[in-house]
Short mmCIF file of all heavy atoms in Angstrom, two decimals:
data_model
loop_
_atom_site.label_atom_id
_atom_site.label_comp_id
_atom_site.label_asym_id
_atom_site.label_seq_id
_atom_site.Cartn_x
_atom_site.Cartn_y
_atom_site.Cartn_z
N ARG K 231 -3.50 -122.74 -42.52
CA ARG K 231 -4.58 -123.20 -41.63
C ARG K 231 -4.29 -124.33 -40.85
O ARG K 231 -5.19 -125.01 -40.27
CB ARG K 231 -5.88 -123.43 -42.54
CG ARG K 231 -6.54 -122.08 -42.92
CD ARG K 231 -7.37 -122.16 -44.11
NE ARG K 231 -7.93 -120.88 -44.52
CZ ARG K 231 -7.18 -119.91 -45.15
NH1 ARG K 231 -6.03 -120.16 -45.51
NH2 ARG K 231 -7.85 -118.80 -45.38
N ARG K 317 -2.99 -113.50 -42.89
CA ARG K 317 -3.23 -114.59 -43.95
C ARG K 317 -2.93 -113.93 -45.30
O ARG K 317 -3.09 -112.76 -45.58
CB ARG K 317 -4.67 -114.93 -43.89
CG ARG K 317 -4.92 -115.71 -42.57
CD ARG K 317 -5.54 -117.08 -42.85
NE ARG K 317 -5.35 -118.02 -41.78
CZ ARG K 317 -6.33 -118.50 -41.00
NH1 ARG K 317 -7.55 -118.25 -41.30
NH2 ARG K 317 -6.00 -119.35 -40.04
N SER J 52 -11.20 -126.68 -35.43
CA SER J 52 -10.92 -125.47 -36.19
C SER J 52 -9.33 -125.37 -36.18
O SER J 52 -8.73 -126.15 -35.60
CB SER J 52 -11.46 -124.37 -35.41
OG SER J 52 -10.65 -123.97 -34.29
N CYS J 53 -8.90 -124.32 -36.88
CA CYS J 53 -7.46 -124.09 -36.97
C CYS J 53 -7.04 -123.28 -35.73
O CYS J 53 -5.94 -122.78 -35.68
CB CYS J 53 -7.03 -123.41 -38.26
SG CYS J 53 -7.51 -121.75 -38.31
N ALA J 55 -7.88 -120.04 -35.14
CA ALA J 55 -7.99 -118.66 -35.39
C ALA J 55 -9.39 -118.18 -35.04
O ALA J 55 -9.71 -117.07 -34.51
CB ALA J 55 -7.64 -118.32 -36.83
N CYS J 56 -10.37 -119.00 -35.34
CA CYS J 56 -11.84 -118.71 -34.94
C CYS J 56 -11.90 -118.53 -33.49
O CYS J 56 -12.56 -117.64 -33.01
CB CYS J 56 -12.75 -119.66 -35.53
SG CYS J 56 -13.19 -119.38 -37.27
N GLY J 118 -17.56 -119.19 -38.85
CA GLY J 118 -16.45 -119.34 -39.73
C GLY J 118 -16.73 -120.30 -40.85
O GLY J 118 -17.69 -121.16 -40.83
N ASP J 119 -15.97 -120.17 -41.91
CA ASP J 119 -16.22 -120.96 -43.15
C ASP J 119 -16.23 -122.49 -42.91
O ASP J 119 -16.92 -123.27 -43.46
CB ASP J 119 -15.21 -120.61 -44.15
CG ASP J 119 -15.47 -119.19 -44.73
OD1 ASP J 119 -16.46 -118.59 -44.36
OD2 ASP J 119 -14.62 -118.64 -45.47
N CYS J 120 -15.29 -122.85 -42.00
CA CYS J 120 -15.18 -124.34 -41.78
C CYS J 120 -16.39 -124.96 -41.20
O CYS J 120 -16.96 -125.89 -41.55
CB CYS J 120 -14.05 -124.58 -40.73
SG CYS J 120 -12.49 -124.44 -41.34
N PHE J 127 -11.19 -128.10 -45.61
CA PHE J 127 -11.05 -129.53 -45.26
C PHE J 127 -12.17 -130.43 -45.66
O PHE J 127 -12.32 -131.46 -45.25
CB PHE J 127 -10.98 -129.52 -43.69
CG PHE J 127 -9.94 -128.61 -43.07
CD1 PHE J 127 -10.25 -127.44 -42.59
CD2 PHE J 127 -8.58 -129.06 -43.13
CE1 PHE J 127 -9.18 -126.61 -42.10
CE2 PHE J 127 -7.65 -128.29 -42.67
CZ PHE J 127 -7.89 -126.94 -42.20
N GLY J 149 -16.49 -116.19 -42.84
CA GLY J 149 -15.32 -115.55 -42.71
C GLY J 149 -14.20 -116.56 -42.34
O GLY J 149 -14.56 -117.62 -41.81
N CYS J 150 -13.00 -116.17 -42.59
CA CYS J 150 -11.96 -117.17 -42.30
C CYS J 150 -10.79 -116.44 -41.72
O CYS J 150 -9.80 -116.26 -42.29
CB CYS J 150 -11.54 -117.90 -43.51
SG CYS J 150 -10.39 -119.29 -43.18
N PRO J 151 -10.79 -116.13 -40.46
CA PRO J 151 -11.97 -116.11 -39.54
C PRO J 151 -12.73 -114.85 -39.58
O PRO J 151 -12.23 -113.85 -40.15
CB PRO J 151 -11.26 -116.22 -38.21
CG PRO J 151 -10.03 -115.50 -38.35
CD PRO J 151 -9.60 -115.66 -39.76
S1 SF4 C 601 -12.97 -120.85 -40.85
FE1 SF4 C 601 -10.82 -120.35 -41.27
S2 SF4 C 601 -10.10 -119.47 -39.37
FE2 SF4 C 601 -11.99 -120.57 -38.82
S3 SF4 C 601 -11.30 -122.57 -38.18
FE3 SF4 C 601 -11.69 -122.65 -40.45
S4 SF4 C 601 -9.71 -122.26 -41.32
FE4 SF4 C 601 -9.60 -121.54 -39.22
#
Side-chain angles (χ1 to χ4, degrees):
Chain K
R231 283 159 183 79
R317 291 235 157 117
Chain J
S52 80
C53 74
C56 278
D119 293 349
C120 283
F127 306 101
C150 185

